[in-house]
Amino acid sequence: MLERELTTVLSKEAAKPFIEHLGMQTIGDLLWHLPRRHYRRGDLTDFADIEVGEFVTLAARITNVASHTSYPRGKALQRTIVTISDGRRSLDLVFFNLKRFQLAKLVKGESGMFSGTVNRFNSKLQLQHPEWELFDDLDDSQQNAWVSGLVPVYPATKKVSSLSIRKAVRTVLERVDLAEVTDAVPQHVRESHGLMRFGEALGAYHVAESDERLEEAKRALKWHEALQLQASLVVMREFTRRLASTARPAGALLAEFDSRLPFDLTPDQHQIGDQIAADLDRQHPMHRLVQGEVGSGKTMVALRAMLQVAETGGQSIMLAPTEVLASQHFRSIVDSLGPELAAKLNPVLITGQQPAAERKRSALAAASGQSLIAVGTHALISKKTTFADVGLVVIDEQHRFGVGQREALRSKGVEPHTLLLTATPIPRTVAMTVFGDLDVSELRTMPAGRTPIGTHVVSERQSPGLMARAWQRVGEEIADGRQAFVVCPAIEPGEAERGADLLVDPLPGVGEQGMADVATTLERLRRVDALRGVRMAALTGAMSADEKDGVMRAYAAGELDLLVATTVIEVGVNVPNATVMVVLDADRFGLSQLHQLRGRVGRGELPGLCLLVTSAAPGSTAGDRVAALAETTDGFAIAEFDLAQRHEGDVLGKRQSGVVSSLKVLRVGEDADIIREARIAADELVEGDPLLERSPTLRHAVAALSAEARVALQSA
């Protein structure tokens, strides 16, 4: 039914704008173009109560119609003014380029209802392009419904208006029987949760007689989406569990490493280490996501897993999103192993920017199996890079890699174990929805010796003089032998850092001036009295890998005092001597990204200080967001707050397989109960029917939702 061509219910002429401008081909494409909101035209408005900016519905008679055609820029523009009156007062309705059949109906003497928002032009009140229905076309009950019914408002374009979409939907609903639409939610699930049938809900969401009916339809559609999504994740999880992999039991290498550690592992590191050890000892591949606070010790967890894999001669590959982070991980692994274990495992670094000879040596060591640990960037995915026996794939900051890149890395081995790491805390409902095919572990406890980072809001709006004190505070830290970061959202005026989680359109309460940029800020800081003599440099994503590495090496070696940077320092920068950070235009960043950024200071024995500079009005949405970050260092609480204020697509970015971006009505941050219920139902369905053969509509929907799930369903 929904797969039928749109032209089977609409004429080719009527369907043309939907096909050309909205990319709609089928009935389903049109009906899944859901209203973004609904409104009531409301009670009839008295002409005496009309005010500019208000939405009004007027019952009136047409007293005059006048049309005039002009030719601005050589194109004909017909302006029609229809004057309506209640017998005492009058109001103009203004239309541009009315169609002939519409103009033929709007004639003097006709009466009807007219709805629109009042504006003023040349001191006169008017309605531009109002909605209208004439009484001759409506009986008494229809007139009442026209006023009191819920009106859908659709996402529209310049070429296709919300009104034209509404009329097309109405035509389709009159000509098709939605009761014939098959339902992805099996009948027993639908009945146990009191849900409308899918077709009925789809129709009711467009044409609802009441608020209660609309909410009932919305709940059914959310369930429809939630069950498809959860079923796809469960199918992928079960498929993974059926695959064969080499068991990698722990042995002497891990025991030797643990015995030499100069510190105690945290309780969370112990617990998650035990989970991973058990996963690696099984004969099906591990798929685990470890998310943890900045500095919580995720790399240590990954390294212990690598040692377990190395016990059987297996190799571990660690993929990082940037050259800076890959180099940081490599140095950290070599230092942590110590000379003896490093000699046994022979870690190598493989990146695209290495000198050719160095990269060739590393690649040969990996291909021959002499190296049991390889750390690198996308160069690890290259077809030219091969390995002898990949047992474990570790992907750091996994959300920065697409499904294709992750699969290319996993294909380097025969169903290797996979460990995903992220320092971006993910709200529980998002993790359940987006990463529900993985086992998820959380590192919350921090290693001993880490001091809390003091975070303060510097309001330029409330006290412009605070900025001078902020720079003075930075200067004091540097004078004491410490180092500092200054973070900007843009590289140069108007050029935001690529990949930054920025609010391009500022939230209410944010100043409208341009974003702070690295180039301008660096120039200004060199003229600040409190920073005279300070050695400073820029670091941005636009620099070459060699330039970035050179700056970071100089900073890490203490040859630079201050870095003016973009979000390129968000991950992988570990300079224990850095104690203070100033974030300019902090209200432009996502909260989770701000949390990552401030984690770059206070990584040593000295306390860290983060100053969030904002021009947002206190008490505004933007001001509250920045204030929330200053009140807590709990990244998981911050992620939940961010999700509550912003759409999940903004918080996480699109899931690389496209699943999250396809959601129409389900909201991860708002619909936790539905998601949990749908997960339970999906588990039960897949447990009794692993390939969903007894639920063909759900099987088809799951296969269409995800390429990974489609492969899993075809695995029998």
Side-chain angles (χ1 to χ4, degrees):
M1 166 70 73
L2 297 182
E3 289 78 14
R4 284 171 52 189
E5 294 290 324
L6 199 55
T7 51
T8 62
V9 287
L10 297 179
S11 68
K12 289 184 178 180
E13 183 181 358
K16 185 177 179 180
F18 296 94
I19 295 170
E20 291 185 353
H21 301 295
L22 293 176
M24 297 178 181
Q25 300 292 334
T26 66
I27 294 173
D29 291 338
L30 176 62
L31 294 185
W32 263 118
H33 190 79
L34 297 172
R36 68 171 183 265
R37 63 183 178 87
H38 294 75
Y39 72 88
R40 276 192 174 80
R41 293 185 179 90
D43 296 330
L44 294 178
T45 307
D46 190 308
F47 269 57
D49 297 331
I50 295 174
E51 293 185 12
V52 173
E54 288 193 351
F55 187 91
V56 299
T57 297
L58 305 167
R61 180 180 297 275
I62 298 174
T63 58
N64 189 57
V65 179
S67 292
H68 172 72
T69 302
S70 59
Y71 296 88
R73 297 175 184 161
K75 293 185 178 180
L77 177 68
Q78 183 190 56
R79 184 170 184 262
T80 300
I81 298 178
V82 177
T83 304
I84 59 173
S85 173
D86 65 350
R88 293 173 297 167
R89 300 174 183 82
S90 62
L91 182 74
D92 286 344
L93 316 178
V94 181
F95 300 91
F96 295 96
N97 291 337
L98 271 177
K99 291 182 170 58
R100 288 185 180 180
F101 77 90
Q102 294 173 315
L103 192 56
K105 285 189 171 187
L106 292 170
V107 296
K108 184 177 179 178
E110 291 285 352
S111 296
M113 295 183 185
F114 308 88
S115 291
T117 301
V118 182
N119 60 34
R120 189 187 302 276
F121 181 74
N122 286 341
S123 76
K124 291 185 64 176
L125 298 181
Q126 63 177 21
L127 303 182
Q128 282 196 10
H129 274 284
E131 297 178 54
W132 54 275
E133 294 279 356
L134 299 180
F135 288 148
D136 287 348
D137 298 332
L138 302 171
D139 58 29
D140 289 344
S141 63
Q142 288 174 320
Q143 291 179 25
N144 182 62
W146 196 86
V147 172
S148 62
L150 288 167
V151 180
V153 178
Y154 294 89
T157 69
K158 289 183 178 180
K159 300 289 185 179
V160 187
S161 68
S162 177
L163 181 59
S164 63
I165 296 171
R166 188 159 76 239
K167 289 181 177 179
V169 168
R170 188 186 306 167
T171 300
V172 169
L173 294 179
E174 289 172 351
R175 295 179 181 177
V176 301
D177 184 1
L178 291 183
E180 297 178 9
V181 175
T182 54
D183 206 322
V185 182
Q187 182 177 351
H188 73 278
V189 176
R190 193 170 62 248
E191 291 176 351
S192 66
H193 290 279
L195 302 172
M196 280 184 182
R197 287 187 59 86
F198 173 62
E200 181 185 6
L202 196 56
Y205 200 83
H206 290 282
V207 183
E209 301 90 5
S210 65
D211 291 322
E212 293 74 20
R213 180 75 168 168
L214 178 62
E215 287 305 309
E216 192 179 352
K218 184 183 294 186
R219 180 170 177 266
L221 293 181
K222 287 183 175 185
W223 244 97
H224 176 84
E225 289 194 308
L227 184 64
Q228 289 181 60
L229 180 54
Q230 293 302 324
S232 72
L233 295 169
V234 173
V235 163
M236 289 188 287
R237 184 195 66 194
E238 294 305 308
F239 171 68
T240 300
R241 289 178 176 177
R242 295 196 302 271
L243 297 174
S245 184
T246 303
R248 308 282 182 174
L253 287 174
L254 180 57
E256 181 183 351
F257 176 77
D258 285 348
S259 69
R260 295 182 179 181
L261 283 176
F263 53 82
D264 293 329
L265 297 174
T266 67
D268 283 357
Q269 286 175 324
H270 272 298
Q271 180 183 359
I272 295 172
D274 291 344
Q275 292 171 346
I276 292 173
D279 289 343
L280 294 174
D281 200 11
R282 297 191 182 106
Q283 292 185 331
H284 61 77
M286 171 181 73
H287 274 240
R288 183 171 292 278
L289 169 68
V290 174
Q291 55 171 330
E293 290 284 6
V294 176
S296 60
K298 294 178 296 299
T299 305
M300 179 58 63
V301 167
L303 179 54
R304 294 183 74 248
M306 294 176 187
L307 285 157
Q308 182 168 336
V309 170
E311 190 68 39
T312 58
Q315 295 171 290
S316 295
I317 303 173
M318 187 173 197
L319 178 66
T322 66
E323 299 267 345
V324 169
L325 183 53
S327 299
Q328 180 77 46
H329 278 318
F330 177 70
R331 288 192 290 269
S332 175
I333 287 172
V334 171
D335 291 344
S336 297
L337 287 174
E340 292 183 18
L341 281 176
K344 291 180 182 179
L345 274 67
N346 188 24
V348 294
L349 178 66
I350 300 177
T351 72
Q353 299 298 319
Q354 283 177 300
E358 182 181 338
R359 180 176 173 183
K360 184 177 181 180
R361 283 195 300 271
S362 296
L364 284 173
S368 65
Q370 293 176 355
S371 173
L372 297 182
I373 296 178
V375 182
T377 56
H378 292 77
L380 293 173
I381 304 173
S382 168
K383 292 180 180 179
K384 295 179 180 179
T385 308
T386 60
F387 299 88
D389 178 19
V390 176
L392 173 65
V393 172
V394 180
I395 302 177
D396 195 24
E397 294 303 321
Q398 57 76 35
H399 59 283
R400 297 185 177 216
F401 298 98
V403 168
Q405 293 169 322
R406 295 200 295 262
E407 288 304 305
L409 194 58
R410 288 182 60 240
S411 69
K412 298 292 183 181
V414 179
E415 296 304 333
H417 300 282
T418 303
L419 181 62
L420 307 178
L421 308 177
T422 181
T424 304
I426 302 167
R428 196 171 297 275
T429 53
V430 175
M432 186 194 311
T433 304
V434 183
F435 303 107
D437 54 329
L438 306 173
D439 296 309
V440 180
S441 300
E442 294 180 355
L443 272 170
R444 288 179 176 264
T445 55
M446 303 294 284
R450 289 296 299 270
T451 55
I453 301 169
T455 307
H456 303 279
V457 177
V458 178
S459 175
E460 292 183 293
R461 183 187 294 257
Q462 281 189 307
S463 180
L466 283 177
M467 279 311 301
R469 174 56 187 146
W471 299 131
Q472 185 181 7
R473 186 72 182 83
V474 171
E476 290 169 356
E477 287 291 305
I478 293 173
D480 286 339
R482 316 303 174 210
Q483 290 165 282
F485 293 105
V486 176
V487 181
C488 306
I491 300 172
E492 294 181 346
E495 184 181 356
E497 173 67 275
R498 189 175 182 181
D501 176 25
L502 300 180
L503 303 178
V504 178
D505 297 319
L507 289 168
V510 178
E512 297 299 320
Q513 71 275 17
M515 295 185 290
D517 66 272
V518 169
T520 305
T521 300
L522 182 61
E523 182 182 341
R524 288 175 178 171
L525 291 184
R526 284 176 171 149
R527 298 196 299 267
V528 172
D529 288 339
L531 300 177
R532 290 196 182 278
V534 168
R535 298 167 299 175
M536 58 183 76
L539 183 67
T540 75
M543 297 164 63
S544 71
D546 286 343
E547 289 174 323
K548 285 184 285 190
D549 190 56
V551 170
M552 275 312 306
R553 285 180 181 276
Y555 188 69
E559 297 167 8
L560 292 170
D561 304 312
L562 184 150
L563 280 189
V564 182
T566 57
T567 55
V568 70
I569 66 164
E570 178 187 356
V571 293
V573 175
N574 184 21
V575 180
N577 193 47
T579 57
V580 61
M581 172 179 288
V582 178
V583 183
L584 301 178
D585 286 334
D587 40 66
R588 296 282 189 164
F589 296 89
L591 284 186
S592 290
Q593 189 163 51
L594 282 174
H595 181 58
Q596 292 297 307
L597 287 167
R598 77 172 164 186
R600 299 307 104 201
V601 296
R603 300 178 70 86
E605 297 178 356
L606 296 167
L609 172 66
C610 181
L611 302 178
L612 304 173
V613 180
T614 177
S615 59
S620 66
T621 304
D624 287 346
R625 291 177 67 253
V626 177
L629 189 77
E631 291 170 4
T632 181
T633 57
D634 184 341
F636 292 90
I638 290 165
E640 294 287 354
F641 184 87
D642 214 10
L643 181 62
Q645 286 209 325
R646 302 169 63 196
H647 190 279
E648 58 270 9
D650 297 323
V651 175
L652 263 189
K654 294 179 181 178
R655 170 83 195 248
Q656 289 85 346
S657 59
V659 172
V660 168
S661 61
S662 70
L663 297 179
K664 301 291 186 180
V665 290
L666 187 69
R667 292 293 173 261
V668 174
E670 302 168 8
D671 300 320
D673 290 343
I674 290 177
I675 291 168
R676 280 193 289 267
E677 291 171 357
R679 179 60 175 222
I680 293 170
D683 279 331
E684 292 173 350
L685 287 168
V686 175
E687 182 180 7
D689 183 16
L691 299 180
L692 298 175
E693 293 171 319
R694 295 196 294 273
S695 305
T697 305
L698 179 58
R699 175 188 169 95
H700 176 76
V702 165
L705 190 65
S706 163
E708 295 164 291
R710 184 162 58 250
V711 170
L713 290 172
Q714 295 170 349
S715 64

